[in-house]
Amino acid sequence: MIGGKNSLYGPVNPTADAGYSADHPARKGFFTDTSICIGCKACEVACKEWNDVPATHFDMTATSYDNSHSLNANQWRHVAFIEQRKQLGAQDPGMRPPEVTDLPMPTMRPTDTAEAVADQADPTGDPGEKPDFRWLMSSDVCKHCTHAACLDVCPTGSLFRTEFGTVVVQDDICNGCGYCVPACPYGVIDRRKGPDGASNVGIAQKCTLCYDRLTVGETPACAKSCPTQSIQFGDVEELRERASARVAQLHQAGIMDARLYGNDPHDGVGGAGSMFLLLDEPEVYGFPPDPVVTTADLPHMFRRATAAAVTLLAGGALAFVGRRR
Ligand code: SF4
Ligand code: SF4
Ligand code: SF4
């Protein structure tokens, strides 16, 4: 990254800041509108297929219907399922759970299940009151931050900023040191731990925003596979406008909890290349509410370390002079 007053924080054109000439392509990114995600997980599957990401860690958590758990080296897109005792507009999921922590999860006990269904059914056919229960579904991914700490701390140059303003790992240059893993404020990047025989075990892995597809003018695989257009791909500036218009539309429809995440160039990472429309607080989706690029404090830390070193040297010199008298 070349020097500049906003090189470590604040609004900046990341592609120009990385040294690309003025004729670089427009910055590309995602607008993920979680209000229309149906949780089909086609995006997860498309990502795995296109990028040859191993299919591992699929099992039920017993706390959610989500079976892919989290973003990690083998999960570059992750669709979170969040169950809440809240109603979303006119949504009727057809469930009347007694407690959100006691969901009717799939079970091997058919007798219990039959009883539970019979308990919930109304013999008169009257749907009754709408349940105060809703699903929040959100397809998470690398944010392709304007100020990407993962990229800043990489000692080998394996992580680089592309001409599209995105952040990509080069598998053949990464040495697996793992500095990027704790540097990411979103917990996105991760070293691959297996399975046996998989490629790039030990190497840092994450979404590339399908760099190979972008270079030939193609849409990323996840966005292309999404049947509801919950994942929208395009120029970041245009996506920001589209996202704001969608929030206004939802507010007009009475969904006042709708809000944007990652769209503000003045936030702690200078805005993200992947922005999200959420229907609740970011924490509900597992997003940090106020992310800050972990390298933003470097100048401050350097000044403090320099001041401490100068003080130490001055103290040593004074002690030496005092002893000679
Ligand atoms: S979200 Fe994390 S891994 Fe992705 S670009 Fe930002 S710092 Fe890097
Ligand atoms: S952009 Fe490509 S690499 Fe990133 S999540 Fe989508 S399919 Fe996977
Ligand atoms: S493909 Fe689209 S609708 Fe299906 S889970 Fe992914 S984001 Fe949601």
Side-chain angles (χ1 to χ4, degrees):
M1 185 178 286
I2 62 172
K5 92 177 162 57
N6 285 340
S7 282
L8 293 173
Y9 49 83
V12 76
N13 176 344
T15 322
D17 200 45
Y20 286 93
S21 58
D23 60 351
H24 62 75
R27 184 180 182 187
K28 301 291 185 202
F30 288 126
F31 163 42
T32 302
D33 180 350
T34 71
S35 71
I36 50 174
C37 176
I38 55 172
C40 66
K41 296 209 176 216
C43 49
E44 287 187 3
V45 176
C47 176
K48 281 180 180 290
E49 284 200 338
W50 181 259
N51 295 293
D52 195 22
V53 176
T56 55
H57 304 305
F58 290 114
D59 44 25
M60 302 301 283
T61 61
T63 56
S64 164
Y65 283 104
D66 177 14
N67 66 348
S68 52
H69 305 189
S70 62
L71 288 179
N72 58 64
N74 294 352
Q75 198 69 43
W76 297 359
R77 269 251 176 221
H78 168 242
V79 183
F81 291 0
I82 299 138
E83 298 86 10
Q84 283 188 322
R85 285 187 75 88
K86 268 186 182 176
Q87 191 174 311
L88 170 61
Q91 181 189 58
D92 182 354
M95 303 171 71
R96 284 149 184 81
E99 292 293 337
V100 75
T101 51
D102 185 20
L103 292 172
M105 300 296 291
T107 172
M108 296 300 289
R109 293 173 295 167
T111 312
D112 290 357
T113 306
E115 283 170 6
V117 170
D119 284 349
Q120 290 178 10
D122 183 336
T124 65
D126 179 2
E129 282 186 28
K130 288 252 166 59
D132 56 351
F133 181 88
R134 69 174 180 176
W135 292 98
L136 296 179
M137 289 152 183
S138 168
S139 183
D140 195 8
V141 71
C142 172
K143 314 302 178 291
H144 295 278
C145 310
T146 300
H147 298 288
C150 61
L151 186 156
D152 288 346
V153 302
C154 178
T156 64
S158 166
L159 277 150
F160 75 104
R161 181 78 64 184
T162 74
E163 65 272 35
F164 303 101
T166 56
V167 178
V168 170
V169 192
Q170 299 172 90
D171 300 335
D172 53 344
I173 297 178
C174 173
N175 67 5
C177 67
Y179 288 169
C180 52
V181 178
C184 171
Y186 299 101
V188 166
I189 196 163
D190 182 31
R191 281 184 297 174
R192 181 165 288 160
K193 297 171 188 74
D196 290 346
S199 61
N200 295 327
V201 173
I203 300 300
Q205 299 282 280
K206 71 170 192 71
C207 159
T208 65
L209 219 143
C210 282
Y211 184 46
D212 51 348
R213 295 175 68 95
L214 296 200
T215 54
V216 293
E218 275 290 337
T219 301
C222 54
K224 191 143 193 170
S225 72
C226 177
T228 65
Q229 297 189 334
S230 172
I231 301 174
Q232 298 174 34
F233 164 76
D235 294 354
V236 166
E237 285 310 314
E238 196 268 324
L239 290 175
R240 284 197 175 126
E241 288 172 20
R242 206 187 299 176
S244 299
R246 174 66 179 156
V247 169
Q249 188 185 31
L250 289 177
H251 286 177
Q252 266 190 345
I255 303 176
M256 304 310 290
D257 284 342
R259 71 203 67 196
L260 293 178
Y261 182 82
N263 70 317
D264 180 5
H266 296 276
D267 69 14
V269 299
S274 311
M275 67 200 84
F276 298 80
L277 187 155
L278 305 178
L279 296 174
D280 208 328
E281 302 285 344
E283 300 93 311
V284 169
Y285 296 82
F287 290 150
D290 193 13
V292 175
V293 59
T294 44
T295 46
D297 280 336
L298 279 180
H300 180 62
M301 290 160 68
F302 183 75
R303 278 195 296 275
R304 289 230 165 160
T306 306
V310 168
T311 307
L312 200 66
L313 283 173
L318 279 175
F320 181 73
V321 169
R323 186 179 292 178
R324 290 197 57 172
R325 280 185 189 155

